[in-house]
């Protein structure tokens, strides 16, 4: 009989499975400012700071998977977390502009001062115009008469209650032992004060 064929070599072993691609490490979360746990951080098991606060307060049981830097309030690592940056200092307000001194108000015009002179004693107006009221002296009566526009008035020093009376027509005067006729003199313009003399230069 013909000889038997040699035995078939065993099939080659299948190549070992390639290892799964390692997950690229996630970038570290930005540092948390202030002593507050991060609300978005999770470890590789999907647990956040709330899980560590419940199961490992103080973060002393498990290794550091990022909870030390992301959960400073739970882990008690506030001193290693950068503090909040100080607020920018407000620039000082510029001082308010100094108010320029207001010019002195102009002095009010001085009231016109009328004077008088005796026109005729023991006499009264030929025709009276108006009674300006009671005044204590012929001087005060002349001021009122001048303001009222009178040029002549009659006044009795003995009986001031008779009043200060303007004349519409002083002439011809009527005789009366208790009245005196006066002329109102217009006021003189007050002379402005002269400037001081210049100081002699040394």
């Amino acid at each position: 009989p013909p000889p038997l064929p040699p035995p078939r070599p065993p099939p080659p072993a299948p190549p070992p499975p390639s290892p799964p691609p390692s997950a690229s490490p996630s970038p570290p979360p930005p540092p948390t400012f202030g002593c507050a746990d991060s609300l978005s951080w999770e470890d590789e098991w999907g647990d956040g700071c709330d899980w560590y606060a419940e199961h490992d307060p103080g973060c002393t049981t498990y290794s550091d998977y990022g909870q030390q830097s992301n959960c400073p309030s739970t882990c008690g690592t506030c001193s290693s977390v950068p503090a909040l940056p100080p607020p920018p200092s407000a620039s000082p307000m510029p001082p308010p502009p100094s108010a320029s001194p207001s010019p002195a108000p102009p002095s009010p015009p001085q009231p016109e001062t009328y004077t008088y002179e005796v026109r005729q004693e023991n006499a009264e107006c030929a025709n009276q115009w108006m009674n300006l009221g009671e005044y204590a002296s012929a001087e005060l009566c002349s001021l009122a008469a001048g303001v009222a526009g009178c040029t002549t008035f009659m006044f009795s020093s003995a009986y001031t209650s008779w009043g200060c009376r303007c004349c519409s027509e002083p002439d011809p005067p009527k005789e009366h032992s208790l009245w005196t006729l006066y002329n109102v003199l217009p006021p003189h313009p007050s002379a402005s004060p002269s400037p001081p003399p210049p100081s002699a230069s040394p």
Side-chain angles (χ1 to χ4, degrees):
L4 295 173
R8 187 183 299 270
S18 59
S22 60
S24 59
S26 58
T32 304
F33 291 100
C35 190
D37 293 344
S38 172
L39 301 179
S40 60
W41 173 82
E42 292 181 351
D43 62 9
E44 54 191 282
W45 293 277
D47 297 324
C49 293
D50 54 348
W51 187 90
Y52 285 92
E54 181 179 355
H55 298 89
D56 186 16
C59 305
T60 57
T61 303
Y62 297 95
S63 301
D64 183 17
Y65 300 105
Q67 69 269 28
Q68 295 286 345
S69 59
N70 291 278
C71 309
S73 178
T74 298
C75 299
T77 57
C78 292
S79 59
S80 62
V81 175
L84 289 172
S89 59
S91 58
M93 294 293 293
S98 59
S100 58
S102 58
S107 58
Q110 297 295 326
E112 295 180 339
T113 302
Y114 292 88
T115 56
Y116 66 97
E117 64 179 0
V118 176
R119 180 185 181 95
Q120 186 171 340
E121 295 182 349
N122 301 322
E124 58 180 331
C125 304
N127 291 306
Q128 298 181 25
W129 177 24
M130 67 173 71
N131 188 345
L132 300 175
E134 183 177 350
Y135 292 89
S137 65
E139 179 182 5
L140 297 176
C141 180
S142 68
L143 296 177
V147 172
C150 299
T151 57
T152 309
F153 66 92
M154 50 188 285
F155 179 78
S156 175
S157 301
Y159 295 93
T160 56
S161 59
W162 289 356
C164 174
R165 304 189 183 191
C166 288
C167 300
S168 60
E169 294 182 6
D171 298 322
K174 301 176 182 178
E175 293 186 7
H176 198 291
S177 60
L178 298 176
W179 287 105
T180 301
L181 284 176
Y182 298 91
N183 289 330
V184 179
L185 302 179
H188 298 285
S190 59
S192 58
S194 59
S199 59
S201 58

